[in-house]
Structure formats: C-alpha cells, structure tokens
Amino acid sequence: MASVSGLCSSFPSLKPNNRIGGELSPVRKDSLAVSTRSNSSFKHSVARELSADLSKTNDVAGLKQAKQDGLEKDPKALWRRYVDWLYQHKELGLYLDVSRIGFSDEFVSEMEPRFQAAFKAMEELERGAIANPDEGRMVGHYWLRNAKLAPNPFLQVQIDKTLAAVCDFADAVISGKIKPPSPEGRFTQILSVGIGGSALGPQFVAEALAPDNPPLKIRFIDNTDPAGIDHQIAQLGPELASTLVIVISKSGGTPETRNGLLEVQKAFREAGLDFAKQGVAITQENSLLDNTARIEGWVARFPMFDWVGGRTSEMSAVGLLPAALQGVDIREMLIGASMMDEATRSTVLRKNPAALLALCWYWATDGIGSKDMVVLPYKDSLLLFSRYLQQLVMESLGKEFDLDGNRVNQGISVYGNKGSTDQHAYIQQLREGVHNFFVTFIEVLRDRPPGHDWELEPGVTCGDYLFGMLQV
C-alpha cells in the first residue's frame, strides 16, 4: 500500500487556478518530486498564512484576523520551507510534508511548552499512570504492539499469551485442523458481530490489508437493523454451515451486538446447525458473553483488556484474530505499528510525525475544532480510512469539559469517502461553498506492482489520472 496525504484550508484566497473537482487530467508520476517506492506514505498539508505580528499571541482564536492573502508564492521560499519541515521515516517509507501550513516560527515556539507537557504525559501513560481517574483505569493499547513496554510482568504475559493463542488458532482454522461440523470440513467464511470500535478497525484492515483471495472471506454485522442482518446471512447461503462467527463486545452486554448474536443463533437453529461449534467470543473475562461462551462450549474465547478502549483495540484480539484468519501477517503488522509508536515518542517536534499533525490540526481549527477535517484517500483500499478516523478522532477529542473542568464543547468533525469519487461529488462545495473545513489528501505513490502496468495512450497509464489532485 503506497499513499500520500495532505491538508488544504478553506480560505477563499487559496482557490486554485485549475479545477480540482470534476474530471481529472493525467499527471505523469515521473514528473513529481516525491518518492515513488512501494510501501510509502507522503503527507502534504495546505492551510492559511499568518502575519508575524499576530502569530505572537497565545489566543489562537485571535489568529482569525491574520492576513488572507494566500500562501507564500516565492518558489524558492516554498522549497526552503519544504526542506526545513519535511519528515521522513525511511524504514517505514513514511513522508510527512507540512510545509504548506501557514504557521509561523513564533507560533511553533509558543506551542513548544504544550508539546513538551504532552510528551511527558504520554510517557507517564505508557509507564502505567492512571488515565481515567473516575474508573481507575490505565490506557495501554501501545503495549499491545510491544509487550516489553508493559508496566508489569503480568500484563506482558497476558499480551504475549493472547497473541500466541490468536496465531495458533488462526493457523489451525486455515489449515483445517479446527473444522466446522459440516461436510465441507473447512471454514470458508467469517461473520463478525460487533459495533463501534469492535467493527470499524477490523473492517478497515480487511479492506486495506487482506489479500485479494483470503483463506477465509469476512462479513460484518455492525448494526441492529433486521434487514441488514438478514442480508448478510442470506449472502452466506449454504456457506453458513462453514462460517466461523466472531462475536466481539468488551462489556459482553452491548445491546446491538447481543441482538446480532441472537439473530445469527436463530439462523443457525433454522438451518439445523449447532452455533456453539462455530462460535468465537472476544470479550472481557467473566463478562456475560464470556460466561455464555464458556458454558455453551463455543469453539474459542479470547480476552479484551480493561486498559484498551474500543476505538484503539485493533491491535488486540479484536482486530488481530479477523486479520490473521484472512491471511494477514499480524506479527509484521505489530512490528510496523511498534516502529511507528517509537517515532511518535520523539520529544523533538520536527522529528515526531504525530506531533506535527497535531500542530497542523490545532492551527487549522483554531485550537477548538472550528473547522471540519475532510479526508480524501486516492487509494481504493483506504476507502474506510475516514470512517475509522471518525471514531478515533471524534470520540477522543469530542469533549464537553477539559481536564480542568472548564466547559469547552470542542472536537474535530471528520468525514470523507474516496478522492476521485469525491471530486465528482461534494468538492464543488469545498471549492465554492462554506469555508468551514480543511482537507487531508492521501495520494497514491504506487498503483500496480512494477511490471504490471500498461499505457492507456502513449506515456499515460490509468494510475496517472490519480494525480489530478496536484493540478491545484
């Protein structure tokens, strides 16, 4: 998967000379001054300019009075800013370009103490500090990517044991060692029943990382809509008999997940099938779901930990089991995530990609979420990225009160679909409508593997049209 992403502000002065919405013209990849190697991501950001005097204030809302004359137009100055601010992680192939964001050096200096405080708070969290004083819980989803960072040996053993159990179970299912009671003798389908973080992460990974022909194909019941549930079951048809059903609920009592489970169990009874011989539970130990699965003798049970929130549970059994059953190398996925975690631990702002993005988001939204974030991925496999980000960002930042108890009612709204499709849809409003957004582009760096591309016309491939977004 190779992609490029970026932000664009909604200031009228930034309207492009060329059309970004509507039909695209091809742009040759070899004409771009960006990396074109595989497995690379490049982030490109655009926002408004700020005058040097106004940038000295700590009142971010006051920055709205900044000049709206557009971005720096001097090519040499833009190139210097690009070189100064470009972030590269060569091992992961990640590139982050924030050079077109309009923040000043003075603004960065003013934000530096806040970032240092955030870095310290993150370090304390990773060491096991209580993050939720009301419930006395830690937050440790990053330990899932590297169990050695867990604050005590017990948690490390829990993480390692669960990962090993997931890998062993997936291998046994794919190899046919663990079989359904049907004559086919092998599981062919996965039906995942869950909602929110128990569905969005697995759905995104299935779309983005699963092979074209996985050993088990996956379907999702992520709503309590009877017609939707009936549709998923009907699509399985006779393969219901060779379907592994994964029921995911941290509390074990989520109403929508319970409803989906009851509907699926009814379908199994009507088909003369024994659900327990095809059911898997992922939930907290001793929850209602866990006890039910244990008493009824389901095929397997995997734990969810109280220190992992639903929206950050993709690297737990919630996301790892469905991914492994589809043939994704989950250990390699965890290594990549751990490497990214390490990069985000840097206390040097320019060397921390997460901090750089936070700086851009803070600037673009006046520090209070005054603008929406539009996500435009130009890669089909990233179609669900915006949906995944919706929960990750909005459930994390959408708050009525801050940590000091002040009423703030803030957050960042996230929406998006697919870049090329959106250019024939709502980008008309982004260009000419209400200026209440900033945009994140995710650009394709590699469309087909080397040697598999062909030219639609001399010198132009189908993938070249994906670069029409750069005609702004």
Side-chain angles (χ1 to χ4, degrees):
M1 179 170 53
S3 57
V4 175
S5 73
L7 303 171
C8 177
S9 88
S10 57
F11 269 79
S13 60
L14 296 180
K15 286 185 179 180
N17 295 324
N18 298 314
R19 181 176 177 82
I20 187 173
E23 297 182 359
L24 297 177
S25 298
V27 177
R28 290 299 305 273
K29 287 187 282 293
D30 55 14
S31 68
L32 300 176
V34 297
S35 169
T36 57
R37 60 181 174 162
S38 64
N39 298 321
S40 298
S41 292
F42 171 83
K43 296 195 175 236
H44 171 72
S45 301
V46 184
R48 59 187 178 278
E49 182 185 36
L50 174 72
S51 69
D53 290 337
L54 287 176
S55 70
K56 295 178 181 178
T57 178
N58 283 318
D59 183 5
V60 179
L63 303 181
K64 291 182 178 180
Q65 301 301 317
K67 291 189 302 179
Q68 297 182 16
D69 297 331
L71 296 168
E72 173 64 63
K73 296 179 176 61
D74 177 24
K76 291 184 178 179
L78 281 175
W79 175 252
R80 286 195 299 269
R81 186 171 174 84
Y82 168 80
V83 173
D84 288 344
W85 283 98
L86 179 65
Y87 171 85
Q88 302 180 61
H89 193 304
K90 294 184 178 180
E91 286 185 274
L92 288 175
L94 175 71
Y95 297 80
L96 173 60
D97 172 16
V98 298
S99 63
R100 302 297 294 275
I101 285 286
F103 56 76
S104 66
D105 291 340
E106 290 83 358
F107 177 76
V108 175
S109 296
E110 290 166 3
M111 294 298 295
E112 183 65 29
R114 298 190 184 189
F115 276 105
Q116 292 306 319
F119 295 147
K120 183 178 180 180
M122 285 301 302
E123 183 179 358
E124 292 174 352
L125 285 178
E126 291 198 348
R127 289 179 176 176
I130 299 299
N132 189 330
D134 293 335
E135 301 177 14
R137 287 192 292 109
M138 300 180 290
V139 174
H141 48 271
Y142 16 76
W143 306 329
L144 298 170
R145 276 95 76 166
N146 185 352
K148 294 179 181 179
L149 298 177
N152 61 66
F154 175 74
L155 293 181
Q156 181 176 339
V157 170
Q158 275 190 314
I159 296 167
D160 288 338
K161 183 179 178 180
T162 300
L163 176 58
V166 166
C167 291
D168 290 346
F169 181 80
D171 289 344
V173 169
I174 292 173
S175 67
K177 183 178 180 180
I178 294 179
K179 306 176 182 180
S182 62
E184 288 80 0
R186 187 182 293 269
F187 284 109
T188 61
Q189 298 277 348
I190 306 165
L191 182 59
S192 178
V193 183
I195 196 170
S198 297
L200 291 170
Q203 286 172 329
F204 173 47
V205 169
E207 188 78 17
L209 299 179
D212 293 335
N213 296 294
L216 281 79
K217 297 180 180 179
I218 191 167
R219 293 182 173 276
F220 295 89
I221 291 178
D222 61 354
N223 194 6
T224 189
D225 173 24
I229 295 172
D230 290 345
H231 174 73
Q232 293 299 329
I233 294 174
Q235 289 289 304
L236 288 169
E239 284 192 277
L240 183 65
S242 58
T243 295
L244 187 69
V245 182
I246 304 176
V247 185
I248 308 172
S249 172
K250 182 176 180 178
S251 67
T254 308
E256 295 89 344
T257 303
R258 179 207 61 186
N259 294 352
L261 169 60
L262 294 176
E263 291 277 0
V264 172
Q265 287 178 323
K266 175 176 176 292
F268 268 73
R269 289 195 300 272
E270 292 176 347
L273 300 171
D274 185 352
F275 176 84
K277 293 184 178 352
Q278 297 176 228
V280 174
I282 301 178
T283 184
Q284 283 189 292
E285 292 184 358
N286 297 318
S287 70
L288 177 61
L289 175 60
D290 186 52
N291 290 332
T292 299
R294 176 177 52 81
I295 293 171
E296 295 181 357
W298 291 18
V299 179
R301 292 150 43 224
F302 296 94
M304 290 184 71
F305 308 119
D306 68 344
W307 38 268
V308 177
R311 62 185 179 274
T312 57
S313 64
E314 175 56 31
M315 299 296 175
S316 71
V318 170
L320 295 180
L321 179 60
L325 289 167
Q326 292 172 86
V328 175
D329 189 336
I330 60 174
R331 291 190 182 274
E332 282 296 306
M333 187 168 71
L334 288 168
I335 290 173
S338 178
M339 291 172 65
M340 194 72 260
D341 284 342
E342 191 61 35
T344 62
R345 292 188 181 101
S346 173
T347 58
V348 179
L349 177 59
R350 290 173 183 253
K351 296 182 179 181
N352 187 321
L356 284 172
L357 284 176
L359 180 74
C360 295
W361 292 7
Y362 195 88
W363 173 269
T365 67
D366 301 318
I368 57 173
S370 61
K371 293 184 182 296
D372 299 339
M373 177 165 65
V374 182
V375 182
L376 301 179
Y378 284 74
K379 184 78 170 173
D380 283 358
S381 60
L382 297 180
L383 173 64
L384 299 182
F385 188 45
S386 59
R387 287 181 57 189
Y388 179 67
L389 279 182
Q390 276 182 334
Q391 184 188 27
L392 195 63
V393 174
M394 296 176 71
E395 194 172 20
S396 297
L397 301 184
K399 305 297 179 184
E400 181 179 7
F401 298 98
D402 64 16
L403 294 177
D404 296 323
N406 302 310
R407 188 183 298 274
V408 290
N409 296 110
Q410 66 185 34
I412 298 179
S413 297
V414 181
Y415 67 93
N417 183 36
K418 183 164 55 177
S420 298
T421 299
D422 294 340
Q423 288 189 204
H424 290 263
Y426 59 77
I427 282 186
Q428 171 68 24
Q429 175 170 318
L430 300 187
R431 293 183 67 248
E432 301 181 11
V434 181
H435 305 295
N436 60 350
F437 65 92
F438 65 101
V439 181
T440 299
F441 293 102
I442 304 178
E443 179 187 350
V444 176
L445 291 184
R446 187 190 71 180
D447 38 59
R448 285 193 175 110
H452 290 76
D453 219 336
W454 65 284
E455 295 181 348
L456 302 174
E457 52 191 85
V460 178
T461 70
C462 183
D464 290 333
Y465 281 79
L466 294 173
F467 288 76
M469 55 168 278
L470 297 181
Q471 296 176 23
V472 296

